[in-house]
Amino acid sequence: MKKALITGIGGQDGSYLAEFLFKKGYQVYGMLRRSSTFNCQNIEHLFNIKESNRVHLLYGDMTDVDSLLRIIKEVKPDEIYNLAAQSDVRVSFDIPFYTAQSDAIGVLNLLEAVKNLNIGCKIYQASTSELFSGDKREAPQNEKTSFNPKSPYGVAKLYGFEIAKVYRESYKMFVVNGIFFNHESPRRGENFVTRKISVGLNEIKSGKKEKMFLGNLDSKRDWGYAPEYMEAAWKMLQQKTPQDFVIATGETHSVREFIEEACKVLDIDITWKGKGLNEKGIDKKTGKTIVEIDPQYFRPNEVSYLCGDSRKARKILNWKPKTSFKDLVKIMVEADLRREKRHNICC
Ligand code: NAP
Ligand code: F7E
C-alpha cells in the first residue's frame, strides 16, 4: 500500500487531497501544527469512516526542521504533498518574516530532510499564480511566462519554486511545482474573497448582518474548484519525469462578477452606485446598501489580472477543469446557505 504524507492536511486543499488519496487506497499521513483551538474540522469526517486506520495525524511545523526529519523518518512516504503555508496574500504584508520562514525556508527544510534521510520519495510543491505580475499584457499566464511577484507571499513562494527546481536538477530528486491558480470550495478559509462573499451574502439574506465590507472589486481571478485541482497534483506525481505545470480554468472573472453571480443564487437583485471608495452595492428590492468598500482590504500592491493557460496539463496529464464559474459560485453559496439554516435552527 502506497504511503502519502500531506503537510497542511487541515487546510482546504489538504482535506480534499486526503479524501482523494484515501479513495485511491493510500495510507494517508497528515502533518498538523499544534493549535490552541481545534484545527481539523475539514478532516474530521475521515476519522468516522470504516478503515479510518488508514489516516494518521502527526504534529509538526514547516519552520521546525527537526519535526520534519522525525515525521519523514517515521512514515517513510512514497509521496509528499507540501501544502502547508501561510497562504493569505494580504496578511503576508503584515507578517513577511513568518511568511518567508514557512513558505520559503519551510520548503528548503523539507527538501533537506528528504535528501539527508535518503528516502527517495516524490515531492509535490504547492506553487501559485501569485508568482506572476498580474499584468494583463502577459496573460494568459503559462509555464513560460516570467515571474514578478507582488507580495511577500509571492516572493516566498518563488523561493520555494526555485529551490524545488534546484534540488530536482542537482540531486536528481523527483520534485514538481504545481503553479495553481485560485481554487475555491465550501472549505475555503473565510477570509479569502470568494468565501467571504458566500458567507457574507448568506448572513445578509438571513438578517444576521446588514452589509459586508470588501476591497478591490475590479481585481480579476481565474477561479476553479479545489477537489479537481488536487487530482491534478496527484497526476503530476504519477508522471515518469518530474516537471512543473500550470493548473487553471482559462476563464477570468472580477470580484464584482463573483458577487453578482452569488446574489443571483440567493435571489438578491444587486445594483452598483458611486465610484472608487464610495462605490456601494445596493439591494434593489429593499433599497439597502449591502456592499461597501473598506480600504483596509486593499493591498499595498495587487496582482490585478490572472488567467491561466493550462494547455500543457491538458495534453500531458489529461487534466481539465469540469466545474464552471457559475457552478462553483452555486456550490459555495448553497453550502453556506445550508450551514446558515443549520446554525439558525441550533442557536
Ligand atoms: P489553507 O487552507 O490556508 O491551508 C494551509 C494549511 O497549512 C493549513 O492547514 C495550515 O494550518 C497549514 N500551515 C500553515 N503554516 C504552517 C506551518 N508553518 N507548519 C505546518 N503547517 C502550516 O491553504 P489552501 O488553500 O489549502 O492551499 C494549500 C497550499 O496551496 C498552500 O501552500 C497555498 O499557498 C497553495 N496555493 C493555494 C491556492 C488556492 O487557491 N487555494 C492556489 C495556489 C497555491 P493551520 O490550520 O494551523 O493554519
Ligand atoms: O483575493 C480581492 C483581492 O484573498 C482575491 C490564496 O489562496 O490565491 C489566493 O490568493 C482577490 C484579490 O485570494 C477582498 O484584492 C477584494 O485581488 O481571495 P483572495 P488571492 O490573494 O488571489 C492564490 C493563487 C494563492 O496562492 C493564495 O494562497 O480579491 N479582494 N476584496 C479581497 N480579498 C480578500 N481576501 N478580502 C476582501 O475583502
Side-chain angles (χ1 to χ4, degrees), residues 6-16 18 29-33 38-44 46-47 57 83-84 187-189:
I6 305 172
T7 70
I9 192 169
Q12 169 189 261
D13 289 2
S15 64
Y16 285 117
Y29 295 82
M31 189 181 92
L32 203 65
R33 62 176 174 170
F38 195 56
N39 58 355
C40 325
Q41 293 90 329
N42 286 338
I43 45 170
E44 258 174 339
L46 287 175
F47 296 97
L57 297 180
L83 306 183
R187 294 185 199 165
R188 186 59 144 154

Side-chain angles (χ1 to χ4, degrees), residues 87 128 153 182 188 191 193 196 215-216 219 221 299 302:
S87 69
T128 168
Y153 169 80
N182 298 55
R188 186 59 144 154
N191 45 348
V193 79
K196 185 171 167 183
N216 182 1
S219 178
R221 288 291 181 270
R299 294 155 189 204
E302 174 73 284

Side-chain angles (χ1 to χ4, degrees), residues 8 10-14 31 33 39 60-63 83-87 98 102 126-128 153 157 180-184 188:
Q12 169 189 261
D13 289 2
M31 189 181 92
R33 62 176 174 170
N39 58 355
D61 195 302
M62 295 308 293
T63 62
L83 306 183
Q86 190 304 90
S87 69
Y98 179 71
S102 57
S127 195
T128 168
Y153 169 80
K157 283 283 185 179
F180 282 24
F181 282 61
N182 298 55
H183 44 279
E184 318 292 312
R188 186 59 144 154

Side-chain angles (χ1 to χ4, degrees), residues 26 38-39 64 84 91 135 167 207 274 283 315-317:
Y26 280 68
F38 195 56
N39 58 355
D64 170 12
V91 170
D135 184 334
Y167 274 59
D283 181 338
K315 195 169 164 210
I316 299 177
L317 302 178

